[in-house]
Amino acid sequence: MTSALKFLKSYPALAIIAVLLTGFSLLSPFFLTAGNVEAMLGANAVVLIAAVGMTVVFLTGGIDLSISTVISVSAVVSGLAMAATGNVALGAVTAVAVGFAFGVLNGVLIGYFQMTPFITTMATGLIARGLAFVFSSGIAVRGTPYWMLDFGFVLWLGIPAVMVIALAVVLVSGLAMAHTTWGRHIMLVGSNAEAARFSGINVRFTTFSAYLFAGTLGGVAGFISIANLGNAIPGVGDTLLLIIIGAVVLGGTGMTGGEGSVERTILGVAILAMLTNGLNLLGIPFYDQLIIQGVLIFLGTWMAMKLGARRQQ
């Protein structure tokens, strides 16, 4: 087997990307234009940042259903802080602090009190959503400083600045997972928590840290969403949860833990970004798009399971 085929088997999402890229570029003359590519990159920065956090949680064998509404409440609180003070830096710190707080809450409940991740993060997600609407009175928070509004349109080396930040998050997170003790512990806990415990790994702290990491990135994503949308919107995260989970799964990270990587999540986000953009260009109705996305996510889950089974043999 050639090295190219081995590489493709390790990253099956690349085959889907190749098909989408070829198909949409042939079907729409606008798909590969500079303006459309810039729009795709900018629109998916928030998803990529949050998906990186979800990836780390998946690698422990957990799930974080609160991350999308943590994005919402972080954006709202950050927007209120900036509207009151005009200070963008304070807004950034506030958004990260809110995400950090929810990460601590999830991490303590799941890591130290051994509560079920699904139920726990569903509950904290509801709390986050409620707070977002209470703090904002259910309407967009206006008064975002002009610098922040302009930042949503800034290009760095031809790439939207918000996507450059998202890629920096991917780079740092990928390096941490591959080259630090923390990253190795995350993978070991996800592969076999009991064996990790007998190896001397603090499983509770490692689990706590994964949710803390995800929550913090949810705060970063919430701040970036303000630059993308121009205002802090309390419902900004309402439609993102399934997209985030779908992107991680399509990238090849399994939900049972110990299998996948942050880098693969880029591929999953790229698939859903290209699919949504291409179908919009072709005028495909929204509900038909949901069916296609569901089929693709099913396919991605199946490929991730097959790949994991092969590696365990």
Side-chain angles (χ1 to χ4, degrees):
M1 184 183 293
T2 65
S3 58
L5 286 176
K6 288 181 180 179
F7 184 78
L8 191 58
K9 283 200 169 187
S10 297
Y11 295 92
L14 288 172
I16 301 176
I17 290 175
V19 171
L20 292 176
L21 184 63
T22 303
F24 285 132
S25 61
L26 292 174
L27 293 171
S28 172
F30 304 104
F31 185 70
L32 289 181
T33 59
N36 190 55
V37 172
E38 288 174 10
M40 271 196 290
L41 292 173
N44 287 278
V46 169
V47 173
L48 181 55
I49 293 170
V52 170
M54 185 70 82
T55 301
V56 173
V57 171
F58 270 24
L59 289 173
T60 65
I63 190 168
D64 186 356
L65 300 180
S66 69
I67 194 165
S68 59
T69 50
V70 168
I71 292 172
S72 297
V73 70
S74 298
V76 166
V77 176
S78 174
L80 290 171
M82 288 190 289
T85 66
N87 191 321
V88 174
L90 178 62
V93 171
T94 303
V96 173
V98 171
F100 182 91
F102 273 94
V104 169
L105 178 60
N106 285 331
V108 168
L109 293 175
I110 297 167
Y112 288 101
F113 286 92
Q114 306 291 292
M115 294 181 68
T116 305
F118 187 94
I119 299 299
T120 301
T121 58
M122 182 173 65
T124 55
L126 289 172
I127 293 170
R129 188 173 191 272
L131 290 174
F133 279 86
V134 168
F135 291 152
S136 65
S137 300
I139 59 175
V141 178
R142 302 189 181 279
T144 304
Y146 287 116
W147 183 89
M148 188 66 179
L149 298 178
D150 292 340
F151 186 69
F153 299 96
V154 170
L155 298 179
W156 290 344
L157 300 176
I159 302 173
V162 290
M163 178 52 76
V164 174
I165 292 173
L167 292 174
V169 168
V170 172
L171 178 61
V172 173
S173 302
L175 290 174
M177 288 298 300
H179 300 291
T180 68
T181 301
W182 175 73
R184 290 191 291 273
H185 286 183
I186 290 285
M187 297 297 288
L188 288 170
V189 167
S191 298
N192 190 322
E194 201 60 31
R197 185 176 291 108
F198 281 119
S199 299
I201 295 173
N202 189 333
V203 174
R204 291 187 175 187
F205 174 78
T206 301
T207 303
F208 165 82
S209 68
Y211 287 92
L212 175 61
F213 183 77
T216 302
L217 288 192
V220 175
F223 180 70
I224 293 299
S225 75
I226 301 175
N228 269 355
L229 300 175
N231 290 301
I233 299 176
V236 64
D238 287 358
T239 60
L240 293 182
L241 180 60
L242 294 182
I243 296 173
I244 293 166
I245 293 175
V248 177
V249 171
L250 278 172
T253 295
M255 297 180 70
T256 55
E259 181 64 40
S261 69
V262 169
E263 294 81 3
R264 291 183 187 179
T265 295
I266 299 178
L267 303 180
V269 172
I271 288 172
L272 290 182
M274 293 169 63
L275 182 66
T276 301
N277 181 269
L279 293 177
N280 284 334
L281 289 176
L282 297 178
I284 304 299
F286 173 73
Y287 293 108
D288 291 339
Q289 292 187 31
L290 294 180
I291 296 171
I292 297 171
Q293 288 176 354
V295 171
L296 260 183
I297 292 172
F298 173 81
L299 177 62
T301 305
W302 177 79
M303 289 191 300
M305 290 173 61
K306 296 291 285 185
L307 184 61
R310 275 204 310 271
R311 290 184 174 177
Q312 289 174 5
Q313 291 176 352

